[in-house]
Amino acid sequence: MEQENIDIPDELYPLALLMDELKHDEFSLRISAMKKLQLIAAALRQERCRDELIPFLEDVTQEDEDEVLTVLAEELANLVPYIGGPEYSHLLIPSLETLSCMEEPVVRDKAVESINRICEGLPSRDHVAQTILPLVKRLSSAEWFSSKVSATGLYAAAIRHCPTEAVPELLKQYGELTRDDTPMVRRAAATHLPAVIEALPAEADSPEADDEIYSMFKAQVGDDQDSVRLLSVNVLIAKAEKLKRQGNSQHTSSLIEFALALLHDPSWRVRYMCADRFEKLAESLTSVVPEEGVEKTEVDEMERAFVPEFIKFMQDGEAEVRTAVAKQVPGFCRLVTPANLDKIVANVEELSQDSSQHVRAALGSEISALAPLLGKEKTIETLLPTFLQMLKDDFPDVRLNIISKLHLVNKVIGIDLLSQSLLPAVSDLAQDKQWRVRLAIIEYIPLLATQLGVSFFDKELGPLCMTWLWDSVYSIREAATQNLKKLTKVFGVDWAKDEILPHIIVVAADSNYLYRLTALCAVTTLIPVVDESMIKTSILPFIAELINDPIPNIRFNVAKTYTELVRALHEEKISSPEVIEEICTSTVIPHLERLSTDGDVDVRYFSTKALEDIAEIKKAHA
């Protein structure tokens, strides 16, 4: 590490004052001082930092608040450049060792992170052997569980950087932690074992090391604590993936047996973890993962074992397990042959009618991804009826999840068939009594518009988009104006001129002031995406009509609209500077000056502010 060049502010002097802050009774001041440790170290220089600051910090670790110690644990690794570089890193170890033994988990975790950072920065494997390995051994053999828990987080970095001959001893120590009497230690060991497996260098990956890992994993699968057993799912995946990368398939059968033991576990928490990682688990154990768009033709050992278990999980007695496995349906189906895919899909309809709304919602978010796997004919035959049924679900999230992934179905069966079968359901959702459902449909409309094309959209969904502008809920009206802006980007300015603006302008004469205000907001939102012609021929006359509106709220919003108009003309480069100046001189400025003498105080304020803002905008773009 190289020492950073840090400008030392004047307040760092005298240093004694800052050292006093580290001893202050108010812990918030001590936290602030801890965050300045790099500045203090830079001011002290390397020798004084080693001789004075480090011993002082060792004393701090004995008696301070957890919040202060957390900051200290994080900052200690940053001091390496200021004490003379990695060769002096061993001076930081005593403080970090003390912090890694604390009862507060956050302090311990930060200390472990810092030790791992120091380990990564050490210049050689011999330095790691001298600095880190003794620490790992001391923590692993300590009596109190907190030290052992911290030790489990150090093994991966230590194994990655230590001399190869030290690896067997480290694995043996780690194996003892996986069989510790304390469940917290076993849980920590199970949590970090995948990283340890990944860290094992090729030269240290001997049959003895493999047997040691296998022994640890076996102990975890048979642990009497389900909180340990559920973590062994990640260990199994890590081990299987490493064997696959090495081209070693000799342990596949035994790993599948362990996987089946976990899949049959009596604890729902273990089954939930299996269900949640089912695709990853299956992929790590399958012999060949098919490429995208290529059918799998050969049934392997994993598939024979896992397909029946997957179907059982879809019928599990715990809703949490069914919810987790519903999210895995398309991912797992990608790994199986068409015959087994049909077996799984046959159970999807039952899952779509599950008594738990969360299961149905989870399936709704994933079921569309089955369409590319099934192909057009089977999607129409098996999935479309399920889609239609789920679009009528009482739970809004189910309906929304189906709608949000419709583009996947569209790619397979085509927009014509999709629109015939599903668009009526979309129209129903667009008028749903739940305003959040309507809001979600509005946000999906631009994507649907891209898929449908302009002619079909105008016929089927165009009227709905205008209806939302006059919704009773403000959030719907606001979203509807943004929707029109997005649709203009999709279909173009000419479409907006013919299909949107005429409908909005008609409302300007409406007796309901809320309609007129919404129309003004819609026009304001459209300004950045239209052209000069539309502004001159339609938008400016529309705004001009509203400067005489009897409602002050509308008149001062006219002033705001003029500001946005001038800003958009400049920033979006809609017109030339000469045309912009002509619009300002002939229309905008005179109208704002008139409104600035209005009888209403709010109208006068916003009009005057608009004149000032426009002057600033013109000045910035002069």
Side-chain angles (χ1 to χ4, degrees):
M1 299 183 188
E2 295 183 2
Q3 181 170 329
E4 298 177 18
N5 293 322
I6 297 180
D7 294 330
I8 303 171
D10 293 339
E11 62 264 24
L12 270 178
Y13 302 100
L15 273 174
L17 181 61
L18 281 171
M19 301 296 275
D20 285 343
E21 284 186 4
L22 290 172
K23 300 176 182 178
H24 201 282
D25 292 340
E26 178 56 53
F27 85 90
S28 61
L29 290 176
R30 297 202 301 279
I31 289 177
S32 177
M34 282 296 178
K35 291 179 179 178
K36 298 176 185 175
L37 275 182
Q38 291 183 69
L39 296 174
I40 296 172
L44 285 170
R45 306 304 177 192
Q46 293 179 0
E47 188 174 348
R48 288 190 66 196
C49 196
R50 294 193 296 266
D51 296 341
E52 299 175 32
L53 182 60
I54 299 303
F56 171 76
L57 294 176
E58 288 180 21
D59 292 338
V60 171
T61 61
Q62 306 295 326
E63 54 189 30
D64 219 322
E65 305 270 353
D66 289 338
E67 292 88 343
V68 181
L69 295 179
T70 301
V71 178
L72 174 60
E74 188 173 9
E75 289 292 331
L76 277 171
N78 297 328
L79 297 183
V80 173
Y82 304 101
I83 63 173
E87 56 267 33
Y88 290 97
S89 296
H90 64 276
L91 297 175
L92 299 170
I93 296 300
S95 296
L96 287 168
E97 182 173 358
T98 301
L99 293 169
S100 64
C101 299
M102 295 285 177
E103 290 191 14
E104 175 55 48
V106 177
V107 178
R108 296 201 308 267
D109 291 345
K110 290 295 181 184
V112 168
E113 286 178 23
S114 288
I115 295 170
N116 283 332
R117 285 171 57 196
I118 289 173
C119 182
E120 298 283 346
L122 289 173
S124 70
R125 294 182 182 273
D126 288 338
H127 279 83
V128 174
Q130 295 166 12
T131 305
I132 303 298
L133 297 193
L135 168 65
V136 173
K137 186 173 182 178
R138 288 195 300 273
L139 291 175
S140 299
S141 58
E143 292 185 8
W144 196 237
F145 81 92
S146 58
S147 301
K148 296 179 180 179
V149 167
S150 293
T152 62
L154 300 175
Y155 274 84
I159 287 173
R160 192 181 302 113
H161 297 287
C162 75
T164 304
E165 60 270 17
V167 173
E169 180 63 26
L170 284 173
L171 286 178
K172 185 177 179 182
Q173 289 174 194
Y174 199 86
E176 292 173 0
L177 293 174
T178 63
R179 293 180 284 272
D180 194 85
D181 293 337
T182 310
M184 287 84 80
V185 177
R186 300 201 302 275
R187 276 201 297 273
T191 300
H192 294 288
L193 186 52
V196 170
I197 293 171
E198 189 62 33
L200 275 174
E203 58 270 21
D205 204 357
S206 62
E208 292 77 14
D210 195 53
D211 289 344
E212 189 66 51
I213 294 289
Y214 190 81
S215 158
M216 297 181 207
F217 173 61
K218 186 176 180 180
Q220 289 171 0
V221 173
D223 198 281
D224 59 357
Q225 297 282 322
D226 62 358
S227 59
V228 177
R229 296 199 303 277
L230 66 86
L231 292 168
S232 61
V233 176
N234 291 330
V235 179
L236 195 156
I237 292 171
K239 183 62 179 172
E241 287 182 338
K242 186 148 191 176
L243 290 173
K244 182 184 283 190
R245 287 196 300 271
Q246 295 170 345
N248 184 353
S249 59
Q250 64 180 8
H251 292 297
T252 300
S253 296
S254 58
L255 289 176
I256 287 176
E257 289 179 13
F258 279 123
L260 291 174
L262 292 169
L263 293 172
H264 295 154
D265 199 279
S267 169
W268 74 267
R269 296 174 66 198
V270 178
R271 298 200 308 278
Y272 171 83
M273 178 62 84
C274 292
D276 189 57
R277 306 299 309 277
F278 208 102
E279 178 190 353
K280 196 71 177 174
L281 189 62
E283 186 173 349
S284 67
L285 291 168
T286 192
S287 54
V288 179
V289 178
E291 296 179 7
E292 188 174 350
V294 178
E295 273 191 6
K296 183 177 180 181
T297 55
E298 188 176 331
V299 179
D300 59 16
E301 187 179 0
M302 179 284 297
E303 190 172 346
R304 280 191 292 273
F306 276 34
V307 168
E309 300 305 324
F310 192 83
I311 293 172
K312 285 180 185 176
F313 269 28
M314 296 172 78
Q315 301 163 353
D316 195 273
E318 293 291 339
E320 287 84 355
V321 176
R322 300 197 303 276
T323 300
V325 86
K327 296 179 181 179
Q328 302 290 306
V329 168
F332 180 63
C333 286
R334 178 177 61 88
L335 303 174
V336 302
T337 55
N340 279 323
L341 172 60
D342 292 341
K343 292 179 184 178
I344 295 171
V345 171
N347 289 271
V348 166
E349 184 177 357
E350 183 179 345
L351 208 59
S352 72
Q353 299 174 26
D354 196 276
S355 58
S356 169
Q357 61 191 25
H358 302 294
V359 174
R360 302 195 304 274
L363 181 65
S365 67
E366 300 295 336
I367 190 173
S368 298
L370 285 174
L373 300 175
L374 290 170
K376 182 174 181 178
E377 186 177 330
K378 286 187 177 179
T379 296
I380 295 169
E381 179 185 341
T382 60
L383 283 191
L384 271 184
T386 305
F387 284 148
L388 292 171
Q389 184 63 38
M390 296 183 79
L391 281 168
K392 300 173 184 176
D393 198 283
D394 294 335
F395 188 45
D397 284 8
V398 178
R399 307 195 295 270
L400 295 177
N401 289 346
I402 289 286
I403 290 296
S404 65
K405 300 288 182 68
L406 276 184
H407 60 283
L408 297 175
V409 182
N410 175 35
K411 289 180 182 178
V412 176
I413 68 174
I415 195 61
D416 292 337
L417 187 56
L418 178 66
S419 59
Q420 292 171 22
S421 54
L422 294 182
L423 207 58
V426 175
S427 299
D428 290 342
L429 288 174
Q431 303 170 67
D432 197 279
K433 62 182 180 180
Q434 295 277 350
W435 70 268
R436 287 183 177 84
V437 175
R438 301 200 300 277
L439 183 63
I441 289 296
I442 293 173
E443 292 169 353
Y444 179 69
I445 285 296
L447 176 61
L448 195 58
T450 306
Q451 298 166 2
L452 290 171
V454 63
S455 58
F456 192 91
F457 179 86
D458 286 343
K459 178 182 177 183
E460 299 293 338
L461 291 178
L464 274 177
C465 291
M466 300 310 301
T467 302
W468 285 322
L469 281 173
W470 327 121
D471 196 277
S472 58
V473 178
Y474 171 76
S475 295
I476 299 296
R477 299 196 300 273
E478 183 182 38
T481 62
Q482 292 297 325
N483 179 52
L484 295 180
K485 180 179 178 179
K486 293 173 183 175
L487 289 173
T488 300
K489 289 182 179 180
V490 173
F491 293 142
V493 175
D494 291 339
W495 173 82
K497 189 182 299 182
D498 296 336
E499 300 296 333
I500 294 180
L501 213 56
H503 297 288
I504 293 176
I505 290 174
V506 167
V507 180
D510 196 279
S511 58
N512 188 325
Y513 93 93
L514 197 58
Y515 281 22
R516 300 196 300 277
L517 182 59
T518 302
L520 180 60
C521 291
V523 167
T524 305
T525 303
L526 285 173
I527 288 172
V529 294
V530 299
D531 58 16
E532 179 186 311
S533 171
M534 190 168 171
I535 288 174
K536 281 186 170 182
T537 59
S538 302
I539 291 179
L540 284 174
F542 168 74
I543 299 172
E545 289 182 20
L546 295 177
I547 66 171
N548 298 314
D549 198 279
I551 305 298
N553 198 355
I554 292 178
R555 298 201 299 277
F556 74 62
N557 272 285
V558 166
K560 292 180 179 181
T561 298
Y562 275 135
T563 302
E564 294 306 314
L565 172 67
V566 175
R567 180 176 286 110
L569 288 172
H570 281 287
E571 294 180 357
E572 304 297 330
K573 296 181 171 54
I574 296 172
S575 303
S576 65
E578 295 76 20
V579 173
I580 296 173
E581 183 60 31
E582 189 270 328
I583 290 174
C584 289
T585 305
S586 63
T587 305
V588 175
I589 302 300
H591 286 175
L592 286 174
E593 288 176 343
R594 176 180 168 186
L595 289 171
S596 66
T597 61
D598 194 273
D600 185 270
V601 62
D602 291 327
V603 177
R604 293 198 302 273
Y605 169 77
F606 284 107
S607 302
T608 303
K609 188 175 186 305
L611 287 168
E612 295 171 354
D613 291 343
I614 288 171
E616 289 294 324
I617 293 168
K618 292 171 69 176
K619 182 179 178 181
H621 291 85

